[in-house]
């Protein structure tokens, strides 16, 4: 039973570019959340998708956008990259909707470096 | 609004010694509380969770935590540290398990031989 998988593992971009990160949720899960973890910090909630719609959003600018597909996989897009966007981006999935009592399972993340 | 404070960004113990990692939370509604562990270059692994019911919660790898409402605390303990416990530990709070998680800053645990 595959857990949460994220791709790519590492990514290097330059300022101003755009990036797309991908996530496949754990089998049986239908809700995907994205978190940003800066070096030495705890993860910060970006947004959550359920039924292909953004259900909750954290304090991140509109440069951060996402999408969820019918197979529950998800993408995180970041436009106009800034040096401060360098971080580990974590995807988490859970089952039965965003208000469920199922805990979130995390992937190993995508390490994004901005030069 | 909810928040989490982890006391001590770095804790060092000897192998076989008691592990105590501190977490205090703030929540206007009954919280769900979690401890996650993160090994280098990996994602977060759930150690244990408190939802309702018994306030002493047992998790994986011999860890446990006690929910104390009066102290707004959810400290993580392990009676005897093992070298493999060296990692970063995060306490988190949420209004519902599937929703937005709010994390503390993390505590790095070092285990000395």
């Amino acid at each position: 039973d595959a857990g949460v998988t994220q791709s790519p593992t590492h990514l290097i971009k330059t300022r101003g570019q755009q990036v797309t990160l991908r996530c496949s949720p754990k089998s049986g899960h239908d809700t995907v959340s994205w978190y940003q973890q800066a070096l030495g910090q705890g993860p910060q909630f970006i947004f959550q998708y359920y039924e292909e719609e953004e259900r909750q959003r954290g304090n991140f600018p509109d440069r951060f956008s996402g999408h969820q597909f019918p197979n529950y996989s998800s993408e995180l897009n970041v436009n106009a990259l800034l040096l401060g966007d360098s971080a580990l981006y974590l995807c988490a999935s859970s089952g039965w909707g965003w208000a469920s009592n199922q805990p979130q399972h995390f992937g190993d993340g995508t390490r994004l470096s901005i030069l | 609004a909810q928040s989490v404070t982890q006391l001590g960004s770095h804790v060092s113990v000897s192998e076989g010694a008691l592990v105590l990692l501190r977490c205090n939370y703030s929540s206007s509604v009954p919280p769900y509380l979690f401890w996650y562990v993160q090994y280098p270059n990996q994602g977060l692994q759930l150690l244990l969770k408190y939802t309702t019911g018994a306030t002493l919660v047992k998790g994986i790898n011999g860890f446990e935590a006690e929910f104390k409402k009066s102290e707004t605390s959810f400290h993580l303990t392990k009676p005897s540290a093992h070298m493999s416990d060296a990692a970063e530990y995060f306490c988190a709070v949420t209004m519902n398990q599937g929703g937005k998680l709010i994390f503390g800053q993390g505590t790095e645990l070092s285990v000395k031989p």
Side-chain angles (χ1 to χ4, degrees):
Chain A
D1 181 19
V4 179
T5 58
Q6 294 186 242
S7 63
T9 306
H10 295 87
L11 204 50
I12 299 175
K13 292 286 188 178
T14 57
R15 282 179 296 173
Q17 285 189 310
Q18 179 265 342
V19 69
T20 297
L21 310 182
R22 295 176 175 82
C23 172
S24 292
K26 179 179 171 64
S27 178
H29 286 183
D30 58 7
T31 303
V32 173
S33 301
W34 287 92
Y35 293 82
Q36 180 195 65
Q37 186 180 17
L39 197 62
Q41 304 292 319
Q44 298 287 320
F45 177 78
I46 302 175
F47 43 54
Q48 182 179 73
Y49 278 82
Y50 172 63
E51 291 186 331
E52 302 180 47
E53 290 188 15
E54 183 181 292
R55 299 292 178 168
Q56 290 184 288
R57 188 178 183 93
N59 189 25
F60 279 80
D62 292 344
R63 299 187 297 109
F64 289 77
S65 63
H67 189 77
Q68 185 179 34
F69 299 93
N71 67 353
Y72 308 122
S73 67
S74 177
E75 289 182 347
L76 164 65
N77 301 292
V78 187
N79 295 322
L81 287 166
L82 304 173
L83 291 177
D85 294 332
S86 294
L88 179 68
Y89 288 85
L90 295 165
C91 174
S93 71
S94 56
W96 307 341
W98 67 275
S100 79
N101 283 329
Q102 298 300 308
Q104 296 179 41
H105 294 251
F106 283 80
D108 285 341
T110 294
R111 175 72 64 186
L112 176 62
S113 299
I114 311 300
L115 304 179
Chain B
Q2 296 180 313
S3 65
V4 174
T5 301
Q6 291 184 239
L7 299 176
S9 59
H10 188 98
V11 170
S12 182
V13 301
S14 298
E15 192 172 19
L18 171 72
V19 175
L20 171 61
L21 304 183
R22 300 176 187 274
C23 172
N24 287 89
Y25 71 91
S26 172
S27 178
S28 56
V29 299
Y32 292 95
L33 294 159
F34 304 83
W35 277 98
Y36 283 89
V37 60
Q38 186 175 37
Y39 298 100
N41 300 314
Q42 293 187 24
L44 304 177
Q45 180 183 7
L46 180 65
L47 275 179
L48 49 79
K49 63 178 181 179
Y50 169 79
T51 54
T52 58
T55 56
L56 182 62
V57 180
K58 295 186 183 299
I60 62 172
N61 302 337
F63 285 94
E64 62 182 35
E66 186 171 11
F67 170 62
K68 292 186 177 181
K69 184 178 179 180
S70 61
E71 299 178 8
T72 60
S73 69
F74 190 56
H75 301 331
L76 181 70
T77 60
K78 182 174 181 178
S80 176
H82 192 273
M83 297 296 291
S84 61
D85 294 328
E88 187 88 18
Y89 291 80
F90 293 95
C91 181
V93 65
T94 184
M95 292 171 55
N96 55 277
Q97 292 191 58
K100 169 185 177 180
L101 283 168
I102 297 170
F103 287 88
Q105 292 289 84
T107 298
E108 183 182 359
L109 175 66
S110 300
V111 182
K112 299 175 291 185

